Each structure stands twice: as structure tokens, then as C-alpha cells.
Amino acid sequence: MSRALVIAAHGSRRDPAANALVRRLAEAVRARRLFDEVAVAFHQGEPGFDTVLDELSSDAVTVVPLLTSAGHYADVVLPQGLARNRRFGEFRLRQTPPVGTHPGIAPLVARRVTELLRHEGIARHSASVAIVGHGTPRHRESRISAIQLADTLRRRRVASEVLAAFIDDDPPVSALLEKVTQPHVVVVPFLIGGGTHVSKDIPQLLGDWRLATRDWRRSVTVDHAIGTYPGLVDIIIDLARRHAPPPAPRFRPRPVRSRREPGTVHLVGAGPGDPGLITARGLELLRQADVVVHDRLIGPELLAEARSDALLIDVGKGPGHAPYSQAEISALLVEHAGQRRTVVRLKGGDPFVFGRGSEEAEACNEAGVPVQVIPGISSAIAGPAAAGIPVTARGVSQSFTVVTGHIADGGNLPAPSLDGSGQALPVVSAVADTIVVLMGRANLGSLAAELIAAGRDPSTPAACIQSATTPEQRVTRATLATIAEAVERDGLQAPVVTVIGAVAALDVGGEAGKRESGEGLIAALGA
């Protein structure tokens, strides 16, 4: 199989330097020799989105949007343009998320800000950093990545304060100097090429405000656009690696069954969220299944791996919402297997870690339906790991306990329990160095209070990881006494994995291992 990479950018017909920057990035990627072909495509420039595929000879194509945010261009213009290529249907094609939403952007900008402050001789506590995106009031998604980047840099304390502003949205660039409180302002244009926005528009907007107010108290440094940062090549390659098109299907003759022989139910663990973390065996079975019965949190990218004629049934439960009871889910598995179909029960994490997989396996066994369990990576371990938190560490934690924040009928546990009695908190507190709580977002405040009442030190480090291993991952760190308040402040939503213990203060992944405000786990981008 030959593989091509297409770097798709907005481009400019008036500013040749913008398109030249994209071509330089493509040349740098090409020099790594990781792809059979590397091409560029432009909304404004040649080749266009609607012709670039016709120039390729590869079987599989990964398209990386060289854009800072989701929005109209990434979600509408680019996919529609690609679909207009004459040979569009001949490729296995996958479009990645925009470059600006990648987890590597935050550490990249953090390092750049540190370099600028050092070069200018500015102390961090006397500096304000402004992330300036383009934005547009016509598409809400266009502002999210800039705001999340500012939030992440603020938590990492790269400067005394970090603000976000927009060229074509609120808050406007012209209001920046009115809001900052420090004498030194570093402006980071959250743009790819920048062009006249960086060389003219942003400085002019800031200068006009200073002229109008006669406020010369602050020094202002406007940096280059992020598209010029050297580490961007690594981010492009990482996106392409993580979102490679699926391999060509391998057609295998199906075994001939007797008319009375039922199909098989495969309980497949889909992993913690990132579609790339399903096991090879699980993915193989998913691609062969006649019926896929899946949970709510299974992402569309993974479901897209199922056969086009496969029946997909969403039985996912959410807060206050359960379209199927557990008995009905088990009955579905038995029913479709009884029709001599191959059934995959696709469950988040591992089927036997608070997944009620044992109940479904028992129902199949009682009905005489063959059942096979395909383990998955549990979010109990993968979630903390994605945030740079080891559940065990020499000299820090020698044991960990995994508990659930819910009981079988959907209610909340008053506290984690080892024996199901609900009264074992002192045992948990004494035995387990680290406590990992799954599905405990709604009950976090009472959970923390019970642990403290059972003897846990209120200052024990604690961390919550939202949507671990996915682009929506966010991490909040606090103490046992303050974690519930911190999670409310940061607006974390289920699914959340909570880690309580000394390891929650660790970050063994460093800058390259963090996923905050939508960050993902990165491979070898350098710290």
C-alpha cells in the first residue's frame, strides 16, 4: 500500500509568502521520507482542494488541515473541495483534526514564550501573554482552540496572565491593552502564515489604541505566526500518523455453519477513547461483524471501521438516559447471534472492568450462544497515563485500587468500597496508595468528603481527567479537599477518571506528555 500526505491550507492569492511557507513545511515533511507522496492544497492557490487528489498515485491519503481551528474551512470547505476531485472515490482517505487543535501546540507556544521573555530580558511575573486568533462570529468552533490554548498556558503559568483576543470576533485585539495588567505584553498570533495580519493589522490595532489613549506605559512584542515555529513539522507528522486511513479490507471466506448453529458474540474492549488504542484483534473482529452493539462513548471514527452493510445499534447509557436496560442489551446479543450473525459488543475500556461484560457473557452462555472476550485497555490505567500520572511509582505508590462512582441501578455510591458494602473507606484509605475512581464525576464532592472523613489527608494530591486519550481531554489537578470545586470551576464533563494519591502530583510525561484543554498524548515531539 502506498500512502500520500496532503497538507491543506487556506493560502492567499495576494500574499505569496503564505503559500511559500506551506510549501516549505511540505518539503520538510518530505525530507523525513515517511510518505510515498507529500502534496499541498490551497483554498486560495494552486493546486486547489478540488484538484489535488487527481495528481496523486497512492492508494491511501491522509489530509492534514493546516488551520488553527475547526470551523467553516475545516468542516465544510475542505471536505466539499476534496469530494469534487474526479478520482475522490478511488482513495482510502482520512482527514485529520486541524493542526491548531493538536496537543503539541501548547508546549510549542509555551517554549516560544519562554524564549521571547528570556531574549527580551522580561521576568515572567511582569509579562502578559495575548493569544490572538482570527475568529469569526459566523462559526463558534473558530474560537475554541484559541481560548483553550490560552487556558492551558494560563494553567502552566507561562506568564503573569494569559488572555485571548480575535481579529474578527470578541474580545477584539484593540481591547487587549485595556485589559492587561502587566508592563510587558507578548502577542502570539495564533495564525499559520500570518501575512498582513501579523505585519500590519495586529500592530496597527494595538498602535491605534495607544495613540487614542496616550498610554505608553507598556512595551508590546508581537511574535511571528505559529506557522513559522520549527516544531510544526512534528505536529503535522503526528496527526498523519494518528489518523492514517484504514488498511484495505482483507476478504476472507466465511465459515459455513449449519442452519442450527448460532453466531458468535464477541465482547470487545474498545479502549479508553482514542480509536487507535483498540487492540488489533478487536479491530479485526469489528471489521468482520454483521452486527455491532456499541456504547455511547464509542467514537464515529471507530464505528466507521465496521462494514458498510453492518447493523449498528447504539445502546449507550448516559446521565439520566438509558434507551435499553441491561436485560434488553443481553437479549439483543442473543437474538442476533441466534440468527447466525457475527455480533460484536463494542464496549469502552475493558469489558470486564465495570463494563457489565460478565453479565452479558453469562446471558449468552445460558442461551447456548458462543461468546468470546477480547480485552481492552481500561481507562482506569490509560486515563492517568495520558495525563502523565503513573498509578504506581517506586517510592511513591506501591498499590492502586479501582472503584466506581455508580452502583448497578444507576445510583451513586456514598463512597468507594472494596467489598460492596459501602463501608470500606478506611480499608481503601489504608491499603491503597492510589485510588482511581471511574464514573465518579457527579459524586465527586461527597466522595472526597467521605475519604477525608475516613482519614485521608485533605492535602492529598488529586487529579481529574476528562475524555482521556481523545482530543477533548482536559486535566484538572488540585487536592482532595479542593478537587470537586476545581472540576466545577474548569467545567469538566463526564466521562471523567479521578486519581487520588501522591502520584496525582506527578507528570512523568513532561511537556510532551500532557493533554490539557483538548490536548492529546504525543509521541516524541521533544520537551
mmCIF file of all heavy atoms in Angstrom, residues 164-188:
data_model
loop_
_atom_site.group_PDB
_atom_site.id
_atom_site.type_symbol
_atom_site.label_atom_id
_atom_site.label_comp_id
_atom_site.label_asym_id
_atom_site.label_seq_id
_atom_site.Cartn_x
_atom_site.Cartn_y
_atom_site.Cartn_z
ATOM 1 N N ALA A 164 -6.949 35.928 25.631
ATOM 2 C CA ALA A 164 -7.252 35.580 24.241
ATOM 3 C C ALA A 164 -8.004 36.738 23.605
ATOM 4 O O ALA A 164 -8.852 37.368 24.247
ATOM 5 C CB ALA A 164 -8.078 34.301 24.160
ATOM 6 N N ALA A 165 -7.682 37.031 22.353
ATOM 7 C CA ALA A 165 -8.369 38.085 21.606
ATOM 8 C C ALA A 165 -8.451 37.647 20.147
ATOM 9 O O ALA A 165 -7.778 36.698 19.729
ATOM 10 C CB ALA A 165 -7.631 39.413 21.732
ATOM 11 N N PHE A 166 -9.274 38.377 19.370
ATOM 12 C CA PHE A 166 -9.518 37.944 17.996
ATOM 13 C C PHE A 166 -9.520 39.135 17.041
ATOM 14 O O PHE A 166 -9.902 40.255 17.400
ATOM 15 C CB PHE A 166 -10.857 37.205 17.902
ATOM 16 C CG PHE A 166 -10.906 35.967 18.742
ATOM 17 C CD1 PHE A 166 -11.381 36.004 20.042
ATOM 18 C CD2 PHE A 166 -10.434 34.763 18.242
ATOM 19 C CE1 PHE A 166 -11.404 34.863 20.827
ATOM 20 C CE2 PHE A 166 -10.458 33.614 19.020
ATOM 21 C CZ PHE A 166 -10.935 33.665 20.308
ATOM 22 N N ILE A 167 -9.087 38.852 15.823
ATOM 23 C CA ILE A 167 -9.087 39.878 14.783
ATOM 24 C C ILE A 167 -10.502 40.157 14.308
ATOM 25 O O ILE A 167 -10.863 41.294 14.026
ATOM 26 C CB ILE A 167 -8.198 39.416 13.601
ATOM 27 C CG1 ILE A 167 -6.743 39.295 14.066
ATOM 28 C CG2 ILE A 167 -8.310 40.367 12.422
ATOM 29 C CD1 ILE A 167 -5.825 38.645 13.047
ATOM 30 N N ASP A 168 -11.333 39.078 14.240
ATOM 31 C CA ASP A 168 -12.669 39.228 13.677
ATOM 32 C C ASP A 168 -13.732 38.654 14.619
ATOM 33 O O ASP A 168 -14.678 38.016 14.179
ATOM 34 C CB ASP A 168 -12.728 38.538 12.309
ATOM 35 C CG ASP A 168 -13.992 38.878 11.530
ATOM 36 O OD1 ASP A 168 -14.562 39.959 11.782
ATOM 37 O OD2 ASP A 168 -14.417 38.071 10.686
ATOM 38 N N ASP A 169 -13.551 38.849 15.917
ATOM 39 C CA ASP A 169 -14.509 38.333 16.887
ATOM 40 C C ASP A 169 -14.262 39.060 18.212
ATOM 41 O O ASP A 169 -13.350 39.884 18.322
ATOM 42 C CB ASP A 169 -14.342 36.818 17.053
ATOM 43 C CG ASP A 169 -15.630 36.140 17.527
ATOM 44 O OD1 ASP A 169 -16.535 36.841 18.009
ATOM 45 O OD2 ASP A 169 -15.720 34.906 17.419
ATOM 46 N N ASP A 170 -15.052 38.748 19.214
ATOM 47 C CA ASP A 170 -14.889 39.341 20.538
ATOM 48 C C ASP A 170 -14.210 38.354 21.471
ATOM 49 O O ASP A 170 -14.457 37.142 21.396
ATOM 50 C CB ASP A 170 -16.250 39.733 21.108
ATOM 51 C CG ASP A 170 -16.873 40.914 20.362
ATOM 52 O OD1 ASP A 170 -16.096 41.805 19.959
ATOM 53 O OD2 ASP A 170 -18.099 40.914 20.190
ATOM 54 N N PRO A 171 -13.340 38.842 22.375
ATOM 55 C CA PRO A 171 -12.910 40.238 22.534
ATOM 56 C C PRO A 171 -11.940 40.653 21.435
ATOM 57 O O PRO A 171 -11.117 39.847 21.004
ATOM 58 C CB PRO A 171 -12.221 40.234 23.907
ATOM 59 C CG PRO A 171 -11.740 38.828 24.064
ATOM 60 C CD PRO A 171 -12.750 37.952 23.401
ATOM 61 N N PRO A 172 -12.014 41.904 20.984
ATOM 62 C CA PRO A 172 -11.177 42.347 19.860
ATOM 63 C C PRO A 172 -9.747 42.642 20.286
ATOM 64 O O PRO A 172 -9.467 42.899 21.465
ATOM 65 C CB PRO A 172 -11.875 43.618 19.393
ATOM 66 C CG PRO A 172 -12.518 44.152 20.626
ATOM 67 C CD PRO A 172 -12.945 42.944 21.426
ATOM 68 N N VAL A 173 -8.826 42.614 19.311
ATOM 69 C CA VAL A 173 -7.422 42.926 19.576
ATOM 70 C C VAL A 173 -7.289 44.334 20.149
ATOM 71 O O VAL A 173 -6.462 44.596 21.038
ATOM 72 C CB VAL A 173 -6.585 42.799 18.285
ATOM 73 C CG1 VAL A 173 -5.138 43.192 18.536
ATOM 74 C CG2 VAL A 173 -6.654 41.372 17.756
ATOM 75 N N SER A 174 -8.101 45.245 19.669
ATOM 76 C CA SER A 174 -7.987 46.645 20.096
ATOM 77 C C SER A 174 -8.232 46.834 21.584
ATOM 78 O O SER A 174 -7.846 47.853 22.158
ATOM 79 C CB SER A 174 -8.974 47.507 19.303
ATOM 80 O OG SER A 174 -10.294 47.027 19.469
ATOM 81 N N ALA A 175 -8.880 45.858 22.232
ATOM 82 C CA ALA A 175 -9.165 45.986 23.663
ATOM 83 C C ALA A 175 -8.115 45.329 24.547
ATOM 84 O O ALA A 175 -8.224 45.365 25.771
ATOM 85 C CB ALA A 175 -10.535 45.379 23.965
ATOM 86 N N LEU A 176 -7.088 44.741 23.939
ATOM 87 C CA LEU A 176 -6.097 43.992 24.716
ATOM 88 C C LEU A 176 -5.408 44.849 25.766
ATOM 89 O O LEU A 176 -5.326 44.491 26.935
ATOM 90 C CB LEU A 176 -5.043 43.390 23.788
ATOM 91 C CG LEU A 176 -5.278 41.968 23.303
ATOM 92 C CD1 LEU A 176 -4.159 41.541 22.374
ATOM 93 C CD2 LEU A 176 -5.378 41.013 24.474
ATOM 94 N N LEU A 177 -4.849 45.986 25.323
ATOM 95 C CA LEU A 177 -4.039 46.797 26.224
ATOM 96 C C LEU A 177 -4.872 47.384 27.359
ATOM 97 O O LEU A 177 -4.338 47.751 28.403
ATOM 98 C CB LEU A 177 -3.337 47.907 25.450
ATOM 99 C CG LEU A 177 -2.333 47.423 24.393
ATOM 100 C CD1 LEU A 177 -1.636 48.600 23.734
ATOM 101 C CD2 LEU A 177 -1.303 46.496 25.025
ATOM 102 N N GLU A 178 -6.164 47.454 27.134
ATOM 103 C CA GLU A 178 -7.039 47.944 28.197
ATOM 104 C C GLU A 178 -7.210 46.899 29.303
ATOM 105 O O GLU A 178 -7.427 47.244 30.460
ATOM 106 C CB GLU A 178 -8.405 48.284 27.593
ATOM 107 C CG GLU A 178 -9.387 48.890 28.561
ATOM 108 C CD GLU A 178 -10.695 49.258 27.883
ATOM 109 O OE1 GLU A 178 -10.788 49.084 26.654
ATOM 110 O OE2 GLU A 178 -11.605 49.709 28.584
ATOM 111 N N LYS A 179 -7.054 45.612 28.923
ATOM 112 C CA LYS A 179 -7.303 44.530 29.874
ATOM 113 C C LYS A 179 -6.052 44.066 30.602
ATOM 114 O O LYS A 179 -6.142 43.576 31.724
ATOM 115 C CB LYS A 179 -7.934 43.337 29.144
ATOM 116 C CG LYS A 179 -9.333 43.614 28.607
ATOM 117 C CD LYS A 179 -9.903 42.368 27.960
ATOM 118 C CE LYS A 179 -11.326 42.614 27.489
ATOM 119 N NZ LYS A 179 -11.914 41.398 26.845
ATOM 120 N N VAL A 180 -4.883 44.144 29.938
ATOM 121 C CA VAL A 180 -3.679 43.597 30.560
ATOM 122 C C VAL A 180 -3.302 44.421 31.786
ATOM 123 O O VAL A 180 -3.574 45.617 31.872
ATOM 124 C CB VAL A 180 -2.505 43.554 29.562
ATOM 125 C CG1 VAL A 180 -2.821 42.635 28.412
ATOM 126 C CG2 VAL A 180 -2.139 44.935 29.067
ATOM 127 N N THR A 181 -2.622 43.754 32.723
ATOM 128 C CA THR A 181 -2.255 44.419 33.973
ATOM 129 C C THR A 181 -0.749 44.547 34.143
ATOM 130 O O THR A 181 -0.302 45.228 35.062
ATOM 131 C CB THR A 181 -2.810 43.619 35.172
ATOM 132 O OG1 THR A 181 -2.243 42.298 35.168
ATOM 133 C CG2 THR A 181 -4.327 43.513 35.089
ATOM 134 N N GLN A 182 0.033 43.897 33.258
ATOM 135 C CA GLN A 182 1.480 43.904 33.415
ATOM 136 C C GLN A 182 2.148 44.888 32.446
ATOM 137 O O GLN A 182 1.578 45.220 31.400
ATOM 138 C CB GLN A 182 2.033 42.490 33.198
ATOM 139 C CG GLN A 182 1.472 41.459 34.157
ATOM 140 C CD GLN A 182 1.685 41.859 35.612
ATOM 141 O OE1 GLN A 182 2.756 42.331 35.989
ATOM 142 N NE2 GLN A 182 0.651 41.663 36.433
ATOM 143 N N PRO A 183 3.359 45.327 32.754
ATOM 144 C CA PRO A 183 4.019 46.348 31.918
ATOM 145 C C PRO A 183 4.530 45.826 30.580
ATOM 146 O O PRO A 183 4.801 46.606 29.678
ATOM 147 C CB PRO A 183 5.189 46.814 32.796
ATOM 148 C CG PRO A 183 5.462 45.668 33.714
ATOM 149 C CD PRO A 183 4.138 45.029 33.976
ATOM 150 N N HIS A 184 4.672 44.495 30.440
ATOM 151 C CA HIS A 184 5.193 43.914 29.204
ATOM 152 C C HIS A 184 4.147 42.975 28.607
ATOM 153 O O HIS A 184 3.598 42.120 29.312
ATOM 154 C CB HIS A 184 6.485 43.153 29.462
ATOM 155 C CG HIS A 184 7.552 43.981 30.110
ATOM 156 N ND1 HIS A 184 8.262 44.946 29.432
ATOM 157 C CD2 HIS A 184 8.014 43.979 31.390
ATOM 158 C CE1 HIS A 184 9.127 45.506 30.264
ATOM 159 N NE2 HIS A 184 8.984 44.941 31.461
ATOM 160 N N VAL A 185 3.888 43.141 27.315
ATOM 161 C CA VAL A 185 2.874 42.350 26.629
ATOM 162 C C VAL A 185 3.531 41.601 25.472
ATOM 163 O O VAL A 185 4.187 42.212 24.629
ATOM 164 C CB VAL A 185 1.726 43.225 26.090
ATOM 165 C CG1 VAL A 185 0.646 42.345 25.459
ATOM 166 C CG2 VAL A 185 1.148 44.089 27.200
ATOM 167 N N VAL A 186 3.357 40.272 25.448
ATOM 168 C CA VAL A 186 3.835 39.443 24.341
ATOM 169 C C VAL A 186 2.611 38.935 23.582
ATOM 170 O O VAL A 186 1.756 38.256 24.155
ATOM 171 C CB VAL A 186 4.676 38.257 24.842
ATOM 172 C CG1 VAL A 186 5.037 37.332 23.683
ATOM 173 C CG2 VAL A 186 5.934 38.747 25.532
ATOM 174 N N VAL A 187 2.520 39.279 22.315
ATOM 175 C CA VAL A 187 1.394 38.892 21.481
ATOM 176 C C VAL A 187 1.817 37.713 20.603
ATOM 177 O O VAL A 187 2.779 37.813 19.844
ATOM 178 C CB VAL A 187 0.919 40.060 20.601
ATOM 179 C CG1 VAL A 187 -0.215 39.609 19.682
ATOM 180 C CG2 VAL A 187 0.469 41.227 21.479
ATOM 181 N N VAL A 188 1.098 36.603 20.731
ATOM 182 C CA VAL A 188 1.360 35.418 19.915
ATOM 183 C C VAL A 188 0.244 35.299 18.878
ATOM 184 O O VAL A 188 -0.895 34.967 19.231
ATOM 185 C CB VAL A 188 1.410 34.139 20.776
ATOM 186 C CG1 VAL A 188 1.587 32.908 19.892
ATOM 187 C CG2 VAL A 188 2.518 34.229 21.813
#
